[in-house]
Amino acid sequence: MAARRWLEALAAALLLACPLLAHAQVDDNIYGVADLSWGRFEPSGSIKDDRFNSNSLSATFIGINVKDGLDGGWTPGLTLETFFRFQDFATGRKPNDPLLSRNAFVSLASPYGSVRVGRLQTYLFDTTVRFNALANSIAFSPAVRHVFQSGNIEGVQGDFYWDRAVSYSTPNLDGLTVNAMVAKGAAAHRGDYGATSIVWAHGLFAGALSLQRVHLNDGFNDPTIENTLQAGATYDFGVARAFAESTWTNDIGLGVRSRELSLGASIPLGPGRLDLQAAFTKATGLAVDRKHTSTSAAYLYAYDSLTDLYVAAMDDRVRGQTHGRSAAIGVRHKFE
């Protein structure tokens, strides 16, 4: 936390000084998403919970971005974001999240690419949400549930936000972008993290390859080494946009390998859109033979350019566990 406060103070000082430079142009923007729903939430193996929720379609958050355009295309910036939970009117996805629980970083963009330093969302999460029809729905996206919400036997180790991180992204080269990130983590997630992704978008097609390596070593528990590879693609056929992604995880410490395959489609239907997604994961290792299948559907009606009304449902099954059924109705509003 001390390191992050130092970075934020440094960024603020730089941004305050920038207007003194010739031809500088300071821009600031407050933005976010408010997602509120009511429903039944029951992952496989859990007891059903009827409640309000703040991340059924998208996680509720608020953020501020300040940037200063300088001569030559150089742009320093500061981004601060936090999640918010309507159900108990608190910040963060969970009680032990930091105050700035989403992205919190200083940045420098230039004709040579962009650099960010601070708390960053991982590239693996970026590609997972980009190449599935239900995007970043924590509650109803099968891909997000299997890769990030099903424990380290099946999914990846650690959070999909990395602390004490540094990233670099190349300029967009005719639709191609290459990204790299390293991090040290903090507290219980202390260790060495590394990731890279290659994303290409051209016309109606987009694809990505993402690699991640996590080495956790908090000084108390046994060290963990995990390697993850993901490939994803999407294509717009006009009548529907198709999505596909596959994720391979090798947890060397646990001796477990898993493979996730997720397929989906987004289909214009009546006045709205129908999103369909399924995920299938098999994890094997010493004393591990786990099979997980999830299917989801959501119907979205665009009330206006910033507000969606929606209903969503998921069927979640892990072999040997109770059957999970979830459903919710809600509203999502984007502000910028």
Side-chain angles (χ1 to χ4, degrees), residues 126-314:
D126 288 342
T127 54
T128 300
V129 303
R130 181 169 181 173
F131 297 105
N132 86 87
L134 275 86
N136 65 344
S137 170
I138 298 296
F140 291 101
S141 167
V144 172
R145 173 162 295 186
H146 284 221
V147 178
F148 297 101
Q149 300 290 315
S150 294
N152 53 21
I153 293 295
E154 175 184 329
V156 297
Q157 294 272 5
D159 196 4
F160 47 87
Y161 286 93
W162 288 356
D163 289 307
R164 299 195 294 171
V166 179
S167 75
Y168 169 74
S169 298
T170 66
N172 188 309
L173 307 172
D174 195 25
L176 179 69
T177 305
V178 180
N179 310 287
M181 184 187 303
V182 294
K184 300 299 290 185
H189 299 292
R190 194 163 57 246
D192 297 304
Y193 300 73
T196 186
S197 70
I198 302 171
V199 182
W200 184 56
H202 183 74
L204 303 177
F205 173 83
L209 186 67
S210 181
L211 298 97
Q212 176 175 294
R213 180 177 174 83
V214 173
H215 178 201
L216 296 175
N217 188 357
D218 60 8
F220 298 99
N221 299 306
D222 291 337
T224 295
I225 299 176
E226 180 186 77
N227 300 314
T228 304
L229 169 66
Q230 183 185 84
T234 180
Y235 188 85
D236 192 343
F237 291 94
V239 295
R241 174 175 284 276
F243 300 86
E245 66 181 39
S246 189
T247 307
W248 298 266
T249 300
N250 180 16
D251 193 313
I252 298 172
L254 295 176
V256 176
R257 294 174 180 265
S258 66
R259 178 178 179 180
E260 175 259 0
L261 174 65
S262 187
L263 303 171
S266 183
I267 307 167
L269 183 64
R273 186 182 81 233
L274 177 65
D275 291 340
L276 304 170
Q277 193 74 27
F280 317 91
T281 298
K282 181 176 176 60
T284 57
L286 295 175
V288 175
D289 186 11
R290 177 184 172 101
K291 291 184 178 179
H292 189 178
T293 302
S294 303
T295 54
S296 291
Y299 187 77
L300 287 74
Y301 169 72
Y303 178 77
D304 57 33
S305 61
L306 298 176
T307 307
D308 295 310
L309 307 177
Y310 66 85
V311 58
M314 170 182 273

Side-chain angles (χ1 to χ4, degrees), residues 87-103:
Q87 54 266 40
D88 53 3
F89 294 96
T91 60
R93 299 161 296 174
K94 49 188 181 294
N96 62 344
D97 260 353
L99 174 61
L100 301 176
S101 49
R102 204 167 186 261
N103 289 298

